[in-house]
Amino acid sequence: MSNLARRLLLAAVAAALAVTAAVTVFTRNPADAAVMLPPTHAKFDYQIGGAYTPPAGVQVVTRDRTAAPAAGLYNICYVNAFQVQPGEQGQWASDLLLRDAKGNLVIDEDWGEPLLDLRTADKRNRVAATVNGWIDGCAAKGYKAIEPDNYDSYTRSKKLLTAAQAKAYLTLLATHAHSKNLAIAQKNTVELAGDRQAVGLDFAVAEECGQYDECGDYVDAFGNNVIVIEYTDKGRRTACSQFGGTLTIVQRDVDVSVPGDSGYVRKTC
C-alpha cells in the first residue's frame, strides 16, 4: 500500500470514529449522566422552612428551591412537584389544577395546597415543563440533588389520580434531573418504592419511617441511600435503634422552623 493510500485509509477511519462518537453523544440516555448521590450515614439538616447556618459537622442539607445552597456541603433542592405552594396558585394554568366533578379544587387539607392535574400525558408534560424549569434553577445554583415532594398526592385526590399517573409524571422529572447531572429522591410513598428503578429514582427521603415502622421497606429498595426525618422523639428513637449505624437520621419540628423560633427542634441519634 502506498503512503498516499495509507494516509487516505487512516483519514477515513478517523472520520468514521468521529461520526460514531458524535452519534454516541447525541443518543446518550440522560439517565446515564454522572450524578453524585448524597453520602450515606451522614450528618443531615432539613431546612425547607428557612435557611440558616448548618450545625457543626453537618454534611448534607435540604433547602427550598428559592434558597441558596449551603457552601461546601451536599445540597438537596426541595421542590413541591405535585401540589401548589401557598400563594402560587395564580402561577398555574387553571386546567392544570385538579378539580372534582363539581369543579371544586381538590385540596391537601393538611397544608392547604391544591393538587396538580396529572390525568393525561399532555397535562403531565405541561406540569413537568414548569417543574423542570425549577430543576434547572436548582442546578444553576449548585445543588446536587432534587427532592420532589408529594409523590403520594394521588392518595389524597378523591380517587381522581392514580399511582401510574404519578409514576409517569415523576419519570419525566427524573429524566430531566439526570440530564442536569442531578440525583433525584423518592419522597415518602413507600408503597411505590419497588418501582424506583423503573421511575429512575436514586435515593429516598422518608418522613416518619421510624414512627410507622417503614424504614426497612425503604432500605429494601434503596439500600443505605435513605435519609430519615422524624418529627417525634419516639420515631427518632425507633429509627436510631434500628438503623442509627447505617442511615442518615434527623428529628425536626413539623414546621421545620429556624433556630430562635420557639418550636425549633433538631435532634440526631
Side-chain angles (χ1 to χ4, degrees):
M1 181 182 294
S2 68
N3 287 337
L4 176 59
R6 184 177 293 108
R7 286 196 298 271
L8 290 173
L9 177 61
L10 291 174
V13 170
L17 289 174
V19 170
T20 300
V23 170
T24 300
V25 168
F26 287 109
T27 59
R28 185 170 176 266
N29 185 344
D32 294 334
V35 300
M36 180 186 299
L37 295 182
T40 59
H41 191 219
K43 299 296 184 183
F44 172 71
D45 201 12
Y46 203 46
Q47 297 189 2
I48 65 172
Y52 53 88
T53 301
V58 164
Q59 302 161 273
V60 181
V61 170
T62 295
R63 288 181 172 176
D64 187 78
R65 64 180 176 84
T66 60
L73 305 183
Y74 186 101
N75 286 268
I76 302 169
C77 192
Y78 171 95
V79 296
N80 193 352
F82 289 77
Q83 300 180 177
V84 179
Q85 288 281 90
E88 295 185 359
Q89 183 175 323
Q91 299 177 20
W92 290 93
S94 178
D95 69 315
L96 294 181
L97 304 176
L98 186 66
R99 298 177 187 273
D100 62 21
K102 296 181 179 179
N104 297 319
L105 291 174
V106 179
I107 305 290
D108 177 348
E109 299 296 345
D110 286 343
W111 299 101
E113 297 178 351
L115 275 60
L116 292 166
D117 191 346
L118 308 175
R119 288 177 291 183
T120 68
D122 175 67
K123 288 186 176 184
R124 290 192 291 272
N125 285 326
R126 289 169 60 203
V127 173
T130 292
V131 177
N132 284 338
W134 300 343
I135 290 174
D136 292 345
C138 294
K141 287 181 177 181
Y143 283 93
K144 297 298 184 185
I146 302 297
E147 178 191 322
D149 201 8
N150 292 308
Y151 188 20
D152 60 350
S153 63
Y154 70 92
T155 66
R156 301 182 289 278
S157 71
K158 299 182 179 179
K159 298 184 178 180
L160 295 173
L161 299 175
T162 67
Q165 291 161 355
K167 289 188 289 184
Y169 165 64
L170 189 53
T171 300
L172 297 176
L173 304 187
T175 299
H176 188 77
H178 289 153
S179 77
K180 298 297 181 179
N181 289 352
L182 297 172
I184 185 167
Q186 172 167 324
K187 176 69 174 293
N188 300 328
T189 326
V190 68
E191 63 272 18
L192 301 185
D195 298 313
R196 51 85 45 132
Q197 290 186 332
V199 177
L201 303 173
D202 303 303
F203 65 103
V205 176
E207 290 178 302
E208 298 189 286
C209 68
Q211 183 76 19
Y212 296 106
D213 194 27
E214 296 173 340
C215 297
D217 296 322
Y218 287 105
V219 171
D220 288 344
F222 291 90
N224 292 341
N225 293 308
V226 179
I227 295 173
V228 177
I229 304 156
E230 298 292 336
Y231 297 111
T232 66
D233 288 330
K234 177 181 180 294
R236 173 180 50 83
R237 286 194 295 266
T238 299
C240 288
S241 66
Q242 296 177 357
F243 298 98
T246 55
L247 302 186
T248 296
I249 301 171
V250 72
Q251 179 183 343
R252 288 298 328 267
D253 55 286
V254 173
D255 292 327
V256 281
S257 56
V258 302
D261 288 352
S262 59
Y264 173 80
V265 173
R266 182 182 181 273
K267 302 178 182 178
T268 58
C269 295

